[in-house]
């Protein structure tokens, strides 16, 4: 069919009337799943994304941030009930324009997109994290090595994710090359601490001030990318500590929306690592493992609606499809399977599968059944991990 | 924002690339919920509907059936993986055009949109139903009264739903006026049998021949409109009988898709009443009460994918919002709440709420809590009904 005819066929889409409209900065898979939470209640979405094939385009219109006048007109439309985001790297000019209107507030993004500011906030709020030092040049790096010891991790302050923008320095001879690889970006050096596993906690805070916390989740990475999440991670002490700290962040910012915090578990103690002020990959299991998913609750939070139940319905797991993914037909019988519609590339997140089991043994059995699926990596001692052990991998 | 700017803002929607495309005849709430099942796997939808505000427009493009050339071009697009329907009243010209391509097949719709043909098929397949007679004039009606006795029900053969197109004749003096009200439509007279309740069974059959059956559901009507469904209706004998009959229909048609059959329970025996060859209002509870909803499985069936689990997760209920509906915010904390985005009118289905409880008592408690919600009608002896009694109402 020629494209003009497609256009003709689709013209009515523009005329649909949603009960309520939300604009979301970013149109990736997080935006797609957020919009899916709005469908049943007539909450419609527009997404600000440069990529005209962005995943969320399935569920809403895509706005090009480079067409500034059109975008600003759209953001100023009185029909827009709320403006939110699904990524941190929002242009400062746009943040400035949305001051007082973005949920969460622009200041939250200004901190969470900068690893140094995150660490400084952890320190200011009494939240434990690995020792760190700002690095703006080779001299800083050498000084950091003296203070933090080797090995140590060098990270860019901004822009890194999924293992990008960071490297480990094992001995002093690697220092110059490491700085060469990062410069001229501003960096952060961090002590390299042996941790037994990574955990994350996701919380929501509504416009009304109501707060809710999901159970602690255990995350397993491979080559710097999240591969497997298991929840709930049943350790009441750790969960209590994590909730206390995340609650402190929510209160500090009077945050409206979702906050995900990643922790390392080091010698039995939590160390805060990173903050994401949005729904998070490690919370996808909530779509089948809780009555109200992180996306459902993000939507409620930014609209000032009562929050839904965040309790776990059973032992849940989430497996990412990285670089490759099963066909839709293979995934179809699983209610928690998602394909983002992105072109396959190495290390790219293309979809995931969440499941909720009746007990930990069944969960292990179900996850093991995904071994060999396209894009799936499972830890060699999966059975131990699924039973709740704290042994970890990188 | 002026409409040209909205158009500009939305132009990219046309360019989205779904992994797979489906065309659905009808764009009502059933189409909306069917499309919602496709979102996570990248299955995109177009809907053929005259109403440019049709509910399914939230999740796909709307095609005007009056623009025949455009529609036929779209239906012939080789990217279309399957063509299905969410209503029975499809124009014969369109059915003819889709011969061999529509799932379910046009012949299924030709029978199920005509009450007389349905009854004749029940009889041919040995499925019990109320005694009936075709009525094309007053003389037929008088003859029917002699054979079926009074009171009897006069129904139009085509087009009736939600209590429309039918009336009860109590005595011979009402005969002429009754025919006057229906003429010149072809009708059907049916014996008026005292039934204790209405039940329905929903089944799916895949392109591969695989079949699956949902648990028997009990339906409560008020003023001819479905108000409350409860499932599973735990009566193994009745369920076995219903599955056997519905299986016979699936096999007879080699049906591809979903089939819902409504039954009356008369003196302990099932009598088939109506067939809908599509997902059905009395199956909405499967969206929270089963791992795979009727919409999930309809999608799988028409694409030839393996069917998902149809077992009940617990005692479930569905309450319709008729003529009025709660605000989105009131409904938001319920994972099974839907608003169709239709303008409120008396007797119109505007949304529903499904819930799944841990036991029958909790279900009764939760349903009772909806008393007084806008658009909700509950039977006076709700508690008895929720505990599984067979006492019924009209």
């Amino acid at each position: 069919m020629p494209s003009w005819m497609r256009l003709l066929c689709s013209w009515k889409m523009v005329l649909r009337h949603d009960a309520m409209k939300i604009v979301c900065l970013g149109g990736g898979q997080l935006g797609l799943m957020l919009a899916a939470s709005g469908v049943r209640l007539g909450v419609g979405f527009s997404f600000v994304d440069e990529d005209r094939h962005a995943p969320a385009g399935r569920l809403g219109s895509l706005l090009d941030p480079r067409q500034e006048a059109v975008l600003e007109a759209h953001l100023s439309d009185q029909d827009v009930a709320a403006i939110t985001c699904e990524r941190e790297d929002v242009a400062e000019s746009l943040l400035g324009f949305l001051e007082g209107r973005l949920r969460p507030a622009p200041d939250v993004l200004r901190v969470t997109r900068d690893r140094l500011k995150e660490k400084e906030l952890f320190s200011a709020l009494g939240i434990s994290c690995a020792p760190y030092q700002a690095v703006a040049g080779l001299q800083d790096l050498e000084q950091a090595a003296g203070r933090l010891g080797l090995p140590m991790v060098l990270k860019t302050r901004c822009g890194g994710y999924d293992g990008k923008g960071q490297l480990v320095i094992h001995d002093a001879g690697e220092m110059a090359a490491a700085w060469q690889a990062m410069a001229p970006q501003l960096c952060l050096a961090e002590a390299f601490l042996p941790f037994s596993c990574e955990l994350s906690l996701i919380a929501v805070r509504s416009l009304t001030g109501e707060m809710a916390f999901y159970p602690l989740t255990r995350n397993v990475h491979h080559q710097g990318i999240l591969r497997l999440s298991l929840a709930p991670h049943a350790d009441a002490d750790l969960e209590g500590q994590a909730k206390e700290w995340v609650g402190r962040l929510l209160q500090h910012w009077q945050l409206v929306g979702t906050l995900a915090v990643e922790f390392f578990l080091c010698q039995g103690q939590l160390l805060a690592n990173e903050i994401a002020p949005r729904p998070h990959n490690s919370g996808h299991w909530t779509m089948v493992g809780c009555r109200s998913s992180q996306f459902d609750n993000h939507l409620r939070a930014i609209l000032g609606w009562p929050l839904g139940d965040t309790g776990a319905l059973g032992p849940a797991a989430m497996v990412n499809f990285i670089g490759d993914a099963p066909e839709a037909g293979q995934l179809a019988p699983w209610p928690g399977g998602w394909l983002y519609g992105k072109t396959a590339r190495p290390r790219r997140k293309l979809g995931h599968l969440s499941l909720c089991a009746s007990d930990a043994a069944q969960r292990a059995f179900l996850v093991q059944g995904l071994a060999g699926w396209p894009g799936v990596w499972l830890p060699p001692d999966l059975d131990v991990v699924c039973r709740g052990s704290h042994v970890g991998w990188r």
Side-chain angles (χ1 to χ4, degrees), chain A residues 131-305:
Chain A
Y132 63 91
Q133 186 177 316
V135 173
L138 188 54
Q139 201 176 351
D140 293 340
L141 192 60
E142 283 161 357
Q143 194 183 43
R147 233 192 90 220
L148 307 173
L150 290 178
M152 88 186 163
V153 189
L154 183 63
K155 299 177 175 179
T156 56
R157 281 174 57 176
C158 299
Y161 66 96
D162 289 349
K164 292 175 197 165
Q166 58 177 282
L167 48 81
V168 179
I169 302 174
H170 298 274
D171 69 65
E174 294 168 15
M175 217 85 89
W179 176 246
Q180 196 76 29
M182 297 299 201
Q185 297 173 90
L186 293 174
C187 288
L188 178 79
E190 244 182 70
F192 182 91
L193 299 176
F195 62 89
S196 53
C197 75
E198 196 204 278
L199 301 167
S200 60
L201 191 87
I202 295 170
V204 274
R205 184 176 175 280
S206 170
L207 199 56
T208 63
E210 184 187 358
M211 295 193 288
F213 298 83
Y214 286 97
L216 198 58
T217 299
R218 172 170 191 183
N219 302 315
V220 183
H221 293 71
H222 176 61
Q223 295 173 342
I225 304 177
L226 179 66
R227 299 298 187 133
L228 171 69
S229 289
L230 297 164
H233 183 76
D235 184 318
D237 289 346
L238 291 181
E239 188 169 278
Q241 176 69 83
K243 284 183 179 173
E244 210 269 307
W245 282 343
V246 174
R248 228 177 268 180
L249 288 163
L250 291 178
Q251 295 288 13
H252 167 74
W253 277 315
Q254 296 287 295
L255 185 129
V256 177
T258 306
L259 197 71
V261 180
E262 294 175 12
F263 298 94
F264 294 131
L265 185 63
C266 274
Q267 299 173 318
Q269 302 295 314
L270 291 180
L271 295 177
N273 178 35
E274 272 184 30
I275 309 175
R278 52 166 171 80
H280 192 256
N281 193 171
S282 70
H284 292 353
W285 67 269
T286 62
M287 281 193 281
V288 296
C290 296
R291 289 203 195 280
S292 302
S293 74
Q294 63 172 348
F295 300 102
D296 286 349
N297 269 332
H298 184 83
L299 192 62
R300 290 169 191 168
I302 62 174
L303 289 170
W305 290 346

Side-chain angles (χ1 to χ4, degrees), chain A residues 46-85:
Chain A
S46 309
F47 300 92
V48 180
D49 204 301
E50 293 194 2
D51 177 7
R52 66 183 205 178
H53 295 300
R58 267 187 216 160
L59 283 186
S61 49
L62 293 171
L63 304 164
D64 191 333
R66 292 163 297 198
Q67 296 189 327
E68 281 182 31
V70 176
L71 177 60
E72 292 189 3
H74 196 96
L75 290 168
S76 305
D77 189 334
Q78 59 183 8
D79 291 350
V80 172
I83 304 171
T84 188
C85 64

Side-chain angles (χ1 to χ4, degrees), chain A residues 86-108:
Chain A
E86 57 103 74
R87 63 169 60 150
E88 294 95 313
D89 59 334
V90 175
E92 184 52 43
S93 59
L94 189 51
L95 284 188
F97 181 77
L98 292 175
E99 205 67 63
R101 300 182 62 211
L102 187 64
R103 299 173 190 167
D107 273 350
V108 177

